[in-house]
Every structure is written in C-alpha cells, then in structure tokens.
C-alpha cells in the first residue's frame, strides 16, 4: 500500500519552484471520476466513483537533449455507471535536441459516443453486447510539418476500462492492418502538441491568453484564463494534497477547432509552483446532460507507473510505420 507521504511525493515535485523534476524521473496522478446528470443546466443526479483515471509525466535529460512522455487514460466502471462502457487513452512522446526544434509523436483512442441527450444515452445502455467501436488518432510533427491519421475500428467484445492496456495494444496494431485512410498534413513550426502545450501553460504565470496546438487535421487553439481559488486550496490542504497556505490556481480553457468552430470546455486546478504542475482536479462536460469531475486520490503508484511506461511501447512502433511515408 502506498503511504500518503509517498503519494504526495509522486503527485507533485517539491514545493519550492527552484527544485525541479530530476532527470529521468516521472510523476503519476490517479483520479476518481464522479458524474453529475444535468437537466436544463441543473444537476439532478450525482454519483461518486463511476470511473477512474491516471495521468503520467516523465522527463529524461541526456547528452542528446530532453525527452518528455505524457499520457492520460480514463474510463468508466460499468457496474457503477449503470452499464455505460466508455474509456480512452492519449499520449505524446516529445524529443528536444539542442539547437533544433522539438519532434513529437502522439497516439490515442477512445470509445465512440454519439448520444446527444439523456434518452439516447439510455438507449445506448441497452444496445447489443458485441464489439466496442472506437476512434484512433496518431500524428507526428517534425521538420516544420505535421501529419495525422484518424481511423475507426471495432474492438472485440469485452473491451473496457478494466483491460484498457490490452485494448491499447489492439488499437495500435490496427494502424498497420486497416484500409488506407488519407493522412492530413499541415505546417507545425513553433507549435506544440496538446498535452505538451498544457504542461507548459500550467508552469507559466499569465492570467489569460490564446495558444495554438497540434491535434488532428484541423488547426486548434486554447483560449484560457486562470485565477487563484482559495476555497479549493483549503479543500486540497484538508485532503493533504498540498501544504497549508499553498496558492491553488483555477485554470479554465476552451478548445476551439478553427475549421468547424466547435468548442469544448474544461477546468482544472493545480499548484503552479510544483514541477511538474499536474492537475489536482479536472472538470469537463462531454455532453450537455453530463458533467464529470476527476479528483486526485491515493493509488498503487508502482503498478500504475509500470503500466503507463509500457503503454508507449505498444504504439510508438506502429504509429511511426504508418506515418513514415508521409513525412
């Protein structure tokens, strides 16, 4: 069992900003997912522990430069979520050499969810128990170019959060076996991938801004603002997630698709002095009728660390092979 002290050491770097993350070190944050059903913007039902999540950050410095690996995985527990089976994974591998631009690869998959209202969500609970449809994405940015590929596939029956590493391996293997799907390319000079962009913003001090990032075929940007949240700071201190008196920031952001003008919003809370500065709480509303809150919790971090480290081995090779011809 991981002690609270050990969990806090993994959750964030030492509180003094001057003490950064050592070379070759990683951090893990585990989350409990709570759900709120909303009707006409008013909450009508709340349930705790409907799912789980994990965020992984690794920095490794060497004579050749710096490598970052960032990953996030989350999913529902059907026995706690009225049978709803939703899960996904997204990760990035970034290489930065001295006197050269960053090179990045990313890969992710998530279950397809087309429900637009509560009635459609109810019907989805009673659909067949066959394969599980998912969407995968992979991309690479280097030499000023960005290439990405989006694919639809179906995982075998029984796919779910409890076996998500196995699902990740199957989704990655499909990249080499699916029928060709035209990849999309665009300029990428000076623009970073999504998780990398977010990690950089959380260590900055600006109160608001707009920041482009790379993900998929369409240009995207984050429109964000941040402010101190003393109430959240007291809550996290009471749960021993931060030291008493720590200034916790509330970071609100809209993701804007420049081509479709689509917009999605999320909010997270973090300690800006920690290195890396990882979210203590995440809130998002994937559907008009559903709000999700991810709260940092204690977990078996050695097992989580091994799982997240191994997840990169599952997709880096297949994704590189698919994208190599276009770069």
């Amino acid at each position: 069992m991981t002690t609270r002290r050990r969990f806090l050491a993994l959750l964030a770097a030492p509180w003094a900003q001057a003490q950064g993350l050592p070379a070759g070190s990683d951090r893990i944050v585990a989350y409990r997912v709570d759900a709120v059903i909303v009707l006409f913007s008013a909450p009508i039902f709340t349930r705790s522990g409907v799912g789980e999540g994990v965020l992984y950050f690794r920095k490794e410095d060497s004579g050749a430069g710096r490598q970052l690996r960032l990953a996030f995985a989350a999913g529902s527990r059907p026995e706690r979520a009225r049978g709803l089976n939703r899960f996904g994974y997204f990760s990035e591998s970034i290489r930065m050499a001295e006197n050269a631009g960053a090179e990045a690869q990313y890969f992710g998959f998530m279950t397809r969810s087309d429900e637009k209202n509560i009635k459609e969500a109810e019907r989805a609970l009673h659909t067949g128990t066959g394969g599980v449809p998912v969407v995968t994405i992979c991309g690479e940015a280097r030499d000023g170019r960005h290439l990405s590929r989006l694919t639809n596939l179906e995982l075998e029956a029984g796919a779910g959060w409890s076996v998500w590493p196995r699902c990740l391996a199957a989704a990655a293997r499909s990249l080499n076996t699916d029928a060709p799907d035209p990849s999309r390319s665009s300029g990428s000079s000076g623009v970073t991938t999504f998780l990398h962009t977010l990690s950089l913003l959380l260590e900055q001090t600006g109160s608001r801004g707009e920041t482009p990032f790379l993900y998929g075929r369409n240009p995207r940007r984050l429109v964000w603002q941040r402010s101190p949240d003393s109430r959240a700071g007291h809550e996290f201190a009471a749960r021993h997630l931060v030291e008493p008196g720590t200034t916790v920031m509330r970071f609100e952001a809209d993701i804007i698709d420049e081509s479709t003008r689509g917009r999605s919003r999320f909010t997270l809370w973090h300690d800006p002095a920690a290195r890396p500065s990882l979210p203590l709480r995440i809130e998002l509303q994937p559907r008009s009728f559903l709000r999700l809150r991810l709260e940092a919790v204690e977990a078996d971090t050695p097992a989580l660390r091994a799982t997240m480290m191994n997840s990169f081995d599952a997709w880096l090779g297949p994704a590189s092979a698919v994208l190599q011809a276009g770069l």
Side-chain angles (χ1 to χ4, degrees), residues 111-130:
T111 46
R112 287 209 308 269
S113 175
D114 301 322
E115 305 89 29
K116 296 180 175 60
N117 53 53
I118 294 179
K119 288 186 177 180
E120 291 182 1
E122 288 283 352
R123 285 197 295 270
L125 296 176
H126 304 290
T127 56
T129 57

Side-chain angles (χ1 to χ4, degrees), residues 249-267:
M249 302 298 288
R250 175 188 175 105
F251 182 94
E252 300 174 273
D254 286 329
I255 298 175
I256 298 176
D257 185 317
E258 302 285 19
S259 297
T260 67
R261 309 310 298 175
R263 181 184 294 253
S264 59
R265 175 170 295 181
F266 67 90
T267 305

Side-chain angles (χ1 to χ4, degrees), residues 165-181:
R166 190 174 71 197
C167 299
L168 164 62
R173 286 195 302 269
S174 74
L175 293 174
N176 287 334
T177 59
D178 278 357
D181 177 37

Side-chain angles (χ1 to χ4, degrees), residues 90 92 106-110 135-138 146 148 150 191-194 213-220 255 257:
F90 183 72
E92 300 175 2
Y106 61 85
F107 173 81
F109 78 96
M110 65 182 301
V135 179
T136 69
I137 189 169
C138 64
H146 171 225
S148 66
L150 193 70
V191 182
T192 55
T193 46
F194 175 64
F213 67 92
L214 299 174
Y215 177 86
R217 60 179 293 183
N218 295 340
R220 287 175 166 83
I255 298 175
D257 185 317

Side-chain angles (χ1 to χ4, degrees), residues 273-313:
R275 291 295 180 269
S277 184
L278 303 180
L280 303 163
R281 173 186 293 157
I282 305 170
E283 288 187 356
L284 62 157
Q285 189 162 348
R287 292 291 183 270
S288 61
F289 58 88
L290 177 64
R291 293 177 188 164
L292 298 176
R293 171 179 282 194
L294 287 75
E295 294 279 6
V297 296
E298 187 170 357
D300 184 0
T301 50
L304 286 177
R305 182 185 296 108
T307 298
M308 299 305 282
M309 288 181 66
N310 292 337
S311 71
F312 288 87
D313 295 333

Side-chain angles (χ1 to χ4, degrees), residues 32-278:
R32 182 193 72 239
V33 181
D34 303 332
V36 179
I37 302 299
V38 179
L39 183 63
F40 302 119
S41 300
I44 61 173
F45 178 79
T46 301
R47 188 162 197 182
S48 176
V50 300
E52 299 161 345
V54 58
L55 178 64
Y56 177 78
F57 180 103
R58 179 174 180 82
K59 181 186 77 172
E60 187 167 354
D61 290 326
S62 68
R66 171 173 294 179
Q67 182 179 64
L68 296 178
R69 288 190 169 183
L70 307 97
F72 179 74
S76 64
R77 297 170 55 193
E79 71 277 10
R80 293 280 302 168
R82 300 183 63 185
L84 196 65
N85 183 29
R86 297 288 183 266
F87 60 99
Y89 165 92
F90 183 72
S91 65
E92 300 175 2
S93 177
I94 299 104
R95 300 170 301 281
M96 294 173 286
E98 291 188 16
N99 303 319
E103 297 182 359
Q105 290 178 287
Y106 61 85
F107 173 81
F109 78 96
M110 65 182 301
T111 46
R112 287 209 308 269
S113 175
D114 301 322
E115 305 89 29
K116 296 180 175 60
N117 53 53
I118 294 179
K119 288 186 177 180
E120 291 182 1
E122 288 283 352
R123 285 197 295 270
L125 296 176
H126 304 290
T127 56
T129 57
V132 179
V134 300
V135 179
T136 69
I137 189 169
C138 64
E140 186 167 71
R142 59 183 171 93
D143 300 330
R145 295 186 62 198
H146 171 225
L147 191 70
S148 66
R149 178 179 177 181
L150 193 70
T151 306
N152 292 293
L153 66 128
E154 188 169 282
L155 298 177
E156 63 183 13
W161 172 245
S162 63
V163 291
W164 76 262
R166 190 174 71 197
C167 299
L168 164 62
R173 286 195 302 269
S174 74
L175 293 174
N176 287 334
T177 59
D178 278 357
D181 177 37
S183 298
R184 309 291 178 175
S185 63
S186 60
S188 65
S189 180
V191 182
T192 55
T193 46
F194 175 64
L195 293 179
H196 189 198
T197 298
L198 191 57
S199 70
L200 293 173
L201 288 175
L202 294 186
E203 295 185 359
Q204 296 175 7
T205 58
S207 60
R208 62 181 63 242
E210 298 188 14
T211 308
F213 67 92
L214 299 174
Y215 177 86
R217 60 179 293 183
N218 295 340
R220 287 175 166 83
R221 61 189 164 100
L222 281 172
V223 178
W224 54 271
Q225 62 181 6
R226 83 176 106 222
S227 59
D229 190 332
S230 59
R231 179 177 178 180
H234 292 311
E235 292 177 3
F236 294 137
R239 292 167 52 199
H240 305 284
L241 295 177
V242 300
E243 292 185 339
T246 296
T247 298
V248 169
M249 302 298 288
R250 175 188 175 105
F251 182 94
E252 300 174 273
D254 286 329
I255 298 175
I256 298 176
D257 185 317
E258 302 285 19
S259 297
T260 67
R261 309 310 298 175
R263 181 184 294 253
S264 59
R265 175 170 295 181
F266 67 90
T267 305
L268 56 83
W269 286 256
H270 68 110
D271 172 8
R275 291 295 180 269
S277 184
L278 303 180

